[in-house]
Amino acid sequence: MEEKLKLFKQKMSDIVYLNQAGAVLGWDQNTYMPAGGAESRGNQLEVISKISHEWSTSQEMGQLLEDLGEYAKQLEQDSDDARLIKVAKRDFDFDTRIPVEFVGEFAQATTMAFSAWVEARQKSDFSIFLPHLQKVVDLNRRMADFFPEADHPYDVLLDQYEPGMKTAEVKAIFEGLRPQQVELIKKIAGKSEVDDSFLHQAFDEQKQWDFGVDVVTRFGYDWNRGRQDKAPHPFSINFGMDDVRITTRVYPDFLNPMLFGTMHETGHAMYEQGISPTLKGTSIARGASLAVHESQSRMWENLVGRSLPFWKFFYPRLQEVFPQLAPVSLNQFYKGINKVSPSLIRVEADEATYNLHIMLRLELEIAMIEGKVALKDLPEMWNSKFKEYLGITPKNDAEGVLQDVHWSYGNMGYFSTYALGNLVSAQLWEKINLDLPDLDNQISNGKFDSLLGWLRTNIHQHGRKFEPQELIQKITGSKIDPAAYVRYLNKKFGEIYDL
Amino acid sequence: MEEKLKLFKQKMSDIVYLNQAGAVLGWDQNTYMPAGGAESRGNQLEVISKISHEWSTSQEMGQLLEDLGEYAKQLEQDSDDARLIKVAKRDFDFDTRIPVEFVGEFAQATTMAFSAWVEARQKSDFSIFLPHLQKVVDLNRRMADFFPEADHPYDVLLDQYEPGMKTAEVKAIFEGLRPQQVELIKKIAGKSEVDDSFLHQAFDEQKQWDFGVDVVTRFGYDWNRGRQDKAPHPFSINFGMDDVRITTRVYPDFLNPMLFGTMHETGHAMYEQGISPTLKGTSIARGASLAVHESQSRMWENLVGRSLPFWKFFYPRLQEVFPQLAPVSLNQFYKGINKVSPSLIRVEADEATYNLHIMLRLELEIAMIEGKVALKDLPEMWNSKFKEYLGITPKNDAEGVLQDVHWSYGNMGYFSTYALGNLVSAQLWEKINLDLPDLDNQISNGKFDSLLGWLRTNIHQHGRKFEPQELIQKITGSKIDPAAYVRYLNKKFGEIYDL
């Protein structure tokens, strides 16, 4: 059986390294590739994903996993090998349920859906996207049909991003959260507006870049195993734990995108850099789920990067780099970067309103998958829910139902991971502050090593060994729960807005 | 048979796109990859080359080529399909003769040889490299043994880089060339030295970069299908004809590396950009051989870039960018960039001495493969030949026998392509000037479109359809012949040095 385990690991690492190669091509495509290279890049990626899929779903792999399943039962159940076999079996079962023809059809339909979405959004005309969205919904429903044992078809979609997570759980979490967030922003709306005009000034781009680099270097991002480049839509990506890259964008007249974007992507990247080297070359050597990943990026961006202790240390430095901030006090600056203002666009939303954008999408997605909404009515439904949750109404479809790219990619079940990530970040933060009672003080002194060490030990090193709910339970003693996030929001914005 | 051709092309394009993916990883490795990513990058590339080799040498591919061989005979013999089948069969026969175990052994031995070479060169101690060089020679001799029908074992090595080229041919070419080059540099040595001190001044790096970009844009390098980055050892690389990249290096205090390096790599790159789109996705959609490739890079670097007409147009521009060149006349500048001075290091050699560096290496390589030299005597042999050809003697092994990386990679048979490229560039140049009698005048006006058009029509578009000797014969009416290069050198340096 040792031999079979060895053979399995060999075959798995081939797949892992091949997928890493594909990721390098993706990074290049999003940073440096000349426009003319697009078609060939598509061909190159197609070959790689074809081989990867063939290998991942081969009979031989299936047989090895079958044989090793018994063997794994004799191992310590939290050992790397036992978990690796378990997760690999789950991946295999998922991948082999989806027929190759379906994968092809899906890829083709979403390629067209993406082009249609670009045009529809540009013209702010939902009717252009409508037939493609119908196709995407149909495909996602057919996808769910491959797993008839699921409690709810949406579970199947969710499971791709949050292994083991159920629709009913997510709904329950969000239903506990929504009224409290709605109430909070209503209270804030009654207060006078915070001034953040000083964030919209001319800021030298190179100086912004350098400031961001200084921040994430102090965070503990390992430049020997990473680098930063510019990208129009920032992302982080990894080719194994030893090459984990970040990207950022720099606006000449607005500080936030570089500042918080860089911290956000670094949060993702330090997660991947922190995975145990013993897992190298295996399929569990990456983040546990999108929500857990997002908990890391949001923690560094918001709980650290939008906190008062953080700016106690960094604001004098920022003022030195940008003397135009000299007239702005630390407290004014802190309030400015935390200004709450219901906005139409999710990606520009503040901490207090962000989750409401997500809940809206989750409800619509579930309705679509359940077939409970005629898609032509979607823009209307979007707008009325938007008004209900955020108190404002989109002027048109481009800033309403057409704003996100995700559905055109065929992704349904993805959005909720963003909000879950916020919740998890606050839940972990409470536990971290119990374990590291001096943390605020450390952050005020620009020290982040205890925090990063805690994250490495409790989260990063494990990679994908544990399902997200299992992991959060292990660490905090309970599953994902919105209470901590509500406490966090109420305390923070209670102080800022004097509620 | 149409079906088989289609299947063959499908399988071939999968291999081609997979190899292109590997090239993207190579580009990244040499430009942006953080140091920590090296080990994983090795693993990623290993998987890709393993699949590529398996597919290229599969029984199925062999059978298809067998079947198509008959079919190809009915096709017009210079048609794309006929040539593709012929070249693919030759590649297949080569690849399948080399046992997989041998490939593995070779890779392992050269990985160690490279590390040993780095250390040996650093310490200038040949004895550190000696056992590894012995291994490399043994492996190359064993490689030759897989082709017992070859006239000379060195033919087998040469054939990897110059399909169809024979050792006897190369020797004959070089023997006709050497005495004339030796005589030329002796004559030059009797003349007073040319001043090129003005090339060694402070030159703003960004301005250098921009100047190089302007030059190669005027050459006709297609930026929509390419880009330029910095690399410590400049190279050009392509991922298909629609993404052909160049790299350069910029010294803050020396103009030549950026100037001529950029033009050189662009020469390579425009070759690949000029291949006929009808060949896309096939294995013949790349340069015919290393020598033909080098003929393009050397042509743009030397016959164009080190010519008087070129600088008539560009020198005033260069002076505008770098006012410190104001006191230097066009003629002084032209002489300076063409200064002849026998030097110890090949990569720094001028046009008049370069080939002698190559001939030396060719003779030593042939002696090694024939077993006619005890490797421990190699440094001595190097130094005495060096003295004979170039009139100077290396002070130590680092600047003598240890200077090149090639042997540590296991490459033997490679060097001569550099000199052959020089010869071909001059041979083509004579023909081009017959076809485009106004060329000098065009170049003096910064116009390169007729030249590039000629190269596209006669060379670039064909890719690897023709063997190098066949191609040169087709164009110039004779095989590779040193006479044109000798005429070129004598005329150019006769004028510069008033011989």
Side-chain angles (χ1 to χ4, degrees):
Chain A
M1 203 50 81
E2 298 287 316
E3 272 311 300
K4 280 197 179 160
L5 183 63
K6 211 178 135 188
L7 181 64
F8 159 71
K9 285 186 176 176
Q10 175 57 48
K11 295 203 164 288
M12 149 129 326
S13 73
D14 279 355
I15 298 168
V16 166
Y17 290 124
L18 189 64
N19 290 339
Q20 288 178 7
V24 175
L25 269 64
W27 172 84
D28 180 72
Q29 192 170 22
N30 284 291
T31 50
Y32 294 120
M33 190 186 76
E39 192 191 323
S40 297
R41 184 53 49 87
N43 295 329
Q44 295 148 12
L45 283 166
E46 197 183 328
V47 175
I48 287 181
S49 77
K50 192 170 73 178
I51 309 166
S52 172
H53 185 260
E54 272 174 23
W55 285 359
S56 303
T57 58
S58 72
Q59 276 199 327
E60 191 185 6
M61 184 57 96
Q63 191 59 55
L64 278 170
L65 285 166
E66 194 73 33
D67 297 347
L68 288 167
E70 281 307 303
Y71 168 75
K73 288 180 188 156
Q74 306 153 28
L75 299 173
E76 201 275 290
Q77 76 142 356
D78 282 356
S79 68
D80 289 354
D81 285 347
R83 288 286 175 161
L84 172 61
I85 294 165
K86 188 178 165 191
V87 174
K89 181 81 171 77
R90 190 179 62 205
D91 291 345
F92 180 85
D93 289 344
F94 185 89
D95 291 341
T96 49
R97 285 275 196 108
I98 320 272
V100 178
E101 307 74 51
F102 180 84
V103 175
E105 197 185 336
F106 194 94
Q108 227 166 4
T110 51
T111 300
M112 288 188 300
F114 174 71
S115 308
W117 171 79
V118 170
E119 191 193 339
R121 191 186 184 211
Q122 207 166 29
K123 299 183 177 165
S124 194
D125 181 353
F126 181 71
S127 72
I128 297 170
F129 186 49
L130 178 59
H132 297 275
L133 181 60
Q134 188 64 60
K135 182 82 188 158
V136 164
V137 171
D138 292 346
L139 282 165
N140 272 282
R141 292 176 70 171
R142 274 171 59 200
M143 170 107 130
D145 287 343
F146 297 130
F147 301 84
E149 73 280 16
D151 295 338
H152 189 287
Y154 195 78
D155 285 0
V156 178
L157 309 179
L158 205 51
D159 195 72
Q160 301 172 84
Y161 311 109
E162 289 304 307
M165 181 72 77
K166 303 292 172 215
T167 309
E169 289 176 279
V170 179
K171 277 169 96 166
I173 291 168
F174 286 2
E175 273 154 25
L177 177 64
R178 197 181 56 238
Q180 312 200 53
Q181 282 210 240
V182 170
E183 196 197 327
L184 175 67
I185 64 166
K186 276 194 182 140
K187 278 199 237 163
I188 292 172
K191 296 289 181 168
S192 60
E193 225 180 83
V194 154
D195 176 26
D196 68 347
S197 56
F198 50 82
L199 295 168
H200 298 269
Q201 303 184 61
F203 296 101
D204 178 81
E205 294 185 44
Q206 185 60 47
K207 284 181 181 165
Q208 285 194 57
W209 175 278
D210 294 344
F211 186 81
V213 166
D214 179 46
V215 169
V216 304
T217 304
R218 287 173 192 270
F219 278 178
Y221 178 67
D222 180 354
W223 293 99
N224 183 50
R225 297 186 293 142
R227 54 175 289 114
Q228 181 173 256
D229 299 88
K230 288 186 187 170
H233 301 281
F235 59 96
S236 75
I237 194 169
N238 76 85
F239 328 128
M241 63 191 69
D242 292 330
D243 191 348
V244 189
R245 304 186 186 183
I246 53 177
T247 57
T248 194
R249 63 180 154 190
V250 185
Y251 287 19
D253 54 1
F254 186 28
L255 205 51
N256 293 23
M258 182 291 299
L259 211 49
F260 299 106
T262 303
M263 292 192 257
H264 182 96
E265 299 310 333
T266 302
H268 283 302
M270 292 194 300
Y271 188 178
E272 297 288 337
Q273 287 186 334
I275 288 168
S276 167
T278 56
L279 302 181
K280 204 175 279 188
T282 74
S283 63
I284 55 175
R286 52 188 170 94
S289 77
L290 291 192
V292 180
H293 238 298
E294 199 71 8
S295 78
Q296 301 304 293
S297 56
R298 297 296 255 181
M299 184 182 291
W300 290 98
E301 174 194 354
N302 290 332
L303 291 127
V304 175
R306 280 190 168 92
S307 75
L308 197 53
F310 176 91
W311 287 108
K312 278 188 187 149
F313 182 80
F314 279 107
Y315 192 55
R317 284 169 170 73
L318 189 72
Q319 286 178 309
E320 206 173 300
V321 177
F322 297 116
Q324 61 266 52
L325 291 173
V328 182
S329 73
L330 169 63
N331 205 42
Q332 283 173 305
F333 183 82
Y334 171 68
K335 284 186 177 179
I337 57 168
N338 283 298
K339 179 181 179 178
V340 174
S341 169
S343 69
L344 295 164
I345 307 300
R346 174 183 59 85
V347 297
E348 295 166 5
D350 55 72
E351 286 183 272
T353 57
Y354 188 94
N355 290 342
L356 296 171
H357 291 261
I358 296 304
M359 293 177 210
L360 160 75
R361 285 159 178 79
L362 178 76
E363 287 169 41
L364 296 186
E365 283 190 355
I366 293 176
M368 287 190 270
I369 292 301
E370 288 177 344
K372 288 194 178 148
V373 55
L375 292 189
K376 65 172 176 44
D377 301 332
L378 206 66
E380 179 46 38
M381 203 168 154
W382 178 288
N383 292 351
S384 72
K385 273 198 189 290
F386 211 94
K387 175 81 183 155
E388 183 188 341
Y389 296 169
L390 287 138
I392 51 180
T393 310
K395 279 194 310 294
N396 54 46
D397 292 345
E399 56 177 44
V401 69
L402 286 172
Q403 73 178 258
D404 299 301
V405 71
H406 301 59
W407 292 337
S408 83
Y409 288 158
N411 293 341
M412 299 199 141
Y414 194 112
F415 282 119
S416 50
T417 68
Y418 292 132
L420 293 172
N422 285 333
L423 307 187
V424 172
S425 72
Q427 203 171 339
L428 291 172
W429 196 247
E430 289 192 349
K431 171 67 174 147
I432 292 169
N433 280 276
L434 285 177
D435 290 352
L436 306 172
D438 185 41
L439 183 61
D440 268 6
N441 185 42
Q442 290 177 33
I443 292 178
S444 312
N445 287 290
K447 297 282 176 213
F448 303 94
D449 48 334
S450 310
L451 172 58
L452 184 57
W454 190 97
L455 294 170
R456 292 241 144 117
T457 305
N458 290 281
I459 299 172
H460 299 180
Q461 63 159 330
H462 301 309
R464 211 157 66 101
K465 274 176 73 169
F466 306 107
E467 288 189 355
Q469 288 283 39
E470 189 185 7
L471 182 67
I472 307 308
Q473 172 113 43
K474 249 176 126 74
I475 299 170
T476 67
S478 83
K479 291 189 172 185
I480 299 178
D481 182 324
Y485 195 67
V486 171
R487 280 192 291 271
Y488 163 72
L489 286 185
N490 285 337
K491 178 162 189 300
K492 177 170 184 173
F493 293 101
E495 284 166 11
I496 290 175
Y497 281 94
D498 196 19
L499 302 177
Chain B
M1 202 52 80
E2 297 288 315
E3 272 309 301
K4 280 199 178 158
L5 183 63
K6 208 177 137 190
L7 182 62
F8 159 70
K9 285 186 175 176
Q10 175 57 49
K11 295 204 163 286
M12 150 130 324
S13 74
D14 279 356
I15 298 170
V16 166
Y17 290 124
L18 189 63
N19 291 339
Q20 287 178 8
V24 176
L25 270 63
W27 173 84
D28 179 73
Q29 192 170 22
N30 284 290
T31 49
Y32 294 121
M33 188 186 77
E39 191 192 325
S40 297
R41 184 54 48 90
N43 295 329
Q44 294 149 12
L45 284 167
E46 196 183 328
V47 176
I48 286 182
S49 76
K50 190 171 74 178
I51 309 166
S52 172
H53 185 262
E54 273 174 22
W55 285 359
S56 304
T57 59
S58 72
Q59 276 199 327
E60 191 185 8
M61 183 57 95
Q63 191 59 55
L64 279 169
L65 284 166
E66 193 73 34
D67 298 347
L68 289 167
E70 280 308 304
Y71 168 75
K73 288 181 187 155
Q74 307 153 28
L75 301 173
E76 202 275 291
Q77 76 144 357
D78 281 356
S79 67
D80 288 356
D81 284 349
R83 288 286 175 160
L84 172 61
I85 293 165
K86 189 178 163 191
V87 174
K89 181 79 170 80
R90 190 178 64 205
D91 291 345
F92 180 84
D93 289 343
F94 185 89
D95 291 343
T96 49
R97 286 272 198 110
I98 320 270
V100 178
E101 307 73 51
F102 180 83
V103 175
E105 198 185 335
F106 193 94
Q108 226 167 6
T110 51
T111 301
M112 287 189 300
F114 175 71
S115 310
W117 171 79
V118 170
E119 191 193 339
R121 191 184 184 212
Q122 206 166 31
K123 298 185 177 162
S124 192
D125 181 353
F126 181 71
S127 71
I128 297 169
F129 186 48
L130 179 58
H132 297 275
L133 181 59
Q134 187 65 60
K135 183 84 188 157
V136 164
V137 171
D138 292 346
L139 283 164
N140 273 283
R141 292 177 69 171
R142 274 170 60 199
M143 170 108 130
D145 287 342
F146 297 130
F147 303 84
E149 73 280 17
D151 294 338
H152 189 286
Y154 195 78
D155 285 0
V156 178
L157 309 180
L158 205 51
D159 196 72
Q160 301 172 84
Y161 310 110
E162 288 306 306
M165 181 71 78
K166 302 294 173 213
T167 309
E169 289 177 280
V170 179
K171 277 170 96 167
I173 291 168
F174 285 4
E175 272 154 24
L177 179 64
R178 198 182 54 240
Q180 311 199 56
Q181 282 210 241
V182 170
E183 196 197 327
L184 175 66
I185 64 167
K186 275 193 182 139
K187 276 199 237 164
I188 292 172
K191 296 287 181 171
S192 59
E193 226 179 83
V194 155
D195 176 26
D196 69 345
S197 57
F198 50 82
L199 296 168
H200 298 270
Q201 302 183 61
F203 296 102
D204 178 81
E205 295 184 43
Q206 185 60 45
K207 286 181 180 165
Q208 285 194 58
W209 174 279
D210 293 343
F211 186 82
V213 166
D214 179 47
V215 169
V216 303
T217 305
R218 288 173 191 270
F219 279 177
Y221 178 67
D222 180 355
W223 293 98
N224 183 49
R225 298 186 293 142
R227 55 175 288 113
Q228 182 173 257
D229 299 87
K230 288 186 188 169
H233 301 281
F235 59 96
S236 77
I237 193 168
N238 76 85
F239 329 128
M241 63 191 68
D242 293 330
D243 191 347
V244 188
R245 305 188 186 180
I246 53 177
T247 56
T248 194
R249 62 179 154 191
V250 186
Y251 287 19
D253 54 1
F254 186 28
L255 205 51
N256 294 22
M258 182 291 299
L259 210 49
F260 299 105
T262 302
M263 292 193 257
H264 182 96
E265 299 310 332
T266 301
H268 283 302
M270 292 195 300
Y271 189 177
E272 298 286 337
Q273 287 186 334
I275 288 168
S276 167
T278 57
L279 302 182
K280 207 174 275 187
T282 74
S283 63
I284 57 175
R286 53 186 169 96
S289 76
L290 291 193
V292 180
H293 238 298
E294 198 71 8
S295 79
Q296 302 304 292
S297 56
R298 297 297 256 180
M299 185 182 289
W300 291 98
E301 175 194 354
N302 289 331
L303 290 127
V304 175
R306 282 191 167 90
S307 75
L308 197 53
F310 176 90
W311 287 107
K312 276 186 188 152
F313 181 79
F314 280 107
Y315 193 56
R317 284 169 170 73
L318 189 71
Q319 285 179 311
E320 205 173 298
V321 178
F322 297 116
Q324 61 266 52
L325 290 173
V328 181
S329 74
L330 169 63
N331 205 42
Q332 283 174 304
F333 183 81
Y334 172 66
K335 285 187 177 180
I337 58 168
N338 282 298
K339 178 181 178 178
V340 174
S341 169
S343 69
L344 295 164
I345 306 300
R346 175 182 59 84
V347 297
E348 295 165 6
D350 54 72
E351 286 183 271
T353 57
Y354 188 93
N355 289 343
L356 296 171
H357 291 262
I358 297 303
M359 294 177 208
L360 161 76
R361 285 159 177 78
L362 178 75
E363 288 170 39
L364 296 186
E365 283 191 354
I366 294 177
M368 286 190 272
I369 294 300
E370 289 178 343
K372 286 194 181 152
V373 54
L375 293 187
K376 66 175 178 39
D377 301 333
L378 206 66
E380 178 46 37
M381 204 166 153
W382 178 287
N383 291 350
S384 71
K385 273 197 190 289
F386 211 94
K387 174 79 182 158
E388 183 188 339
Y389 296 167
L390 287 140
I392 50 177
T393 309
K395 281 195 309 297
N396 54 46
D397 292 344
E399 56 178 42
V401 69
L402 287 172
Q403 73 179 257
D404 299 301
V405 71
H406 301 59
W407 293 338
S408 83
Y409 287 158
N411 294 340
M412 299 199 143
Y414 194 112
F415 282 119
S416 49
T417 69
Y418 291 131
L420 292 172
N422 285 332
L423 306 188
V424 173
S425 72
Q427 203 172 339
L428 292 171
W429 196 247
E430 288 192 350
K431 172 68 173 144
I432 292 169
N433 278 278
L434 285 176
D435 291 353
L436 307 173
D438 185 42
L439 183 59
D440 268 7
N441 185 40
Q442 292 178 31
I443 293 178
S444 311
N445 286 292
K447 298 282 176 213
F448 303 95
D449 46 335
S450 310
L451 172 58
L452 183 58
W454 190 98
L455 295 170
R456 294 243 143 118
T457 306
N458 290 281
I459 299 173
H460 299 179
Q461 64 160 327
H462 302 309
R464 210 157 67 101
K465 274 175 73 170
F466 306 107
E467 289 191 354
Q469 288 283 38
E470 189 185 6
L471 182 66
I472 306 307
Q473 171 112 43
K474 249 175 127 73
I475 300 169
T476 67
S478 82
K479 291 190 171 184
I480 299 178
D481 182 324
Y485 195 67
V486 171
R487 281 192 290 272
Y488 164 71
L489 286 186
N490 285 336
K491 178 162 189 296
K492 176 169 185 174
F493 292 101
E495 283 164 13
I496 291 176
Y497 280 95
D498 195 21
L499 301 178

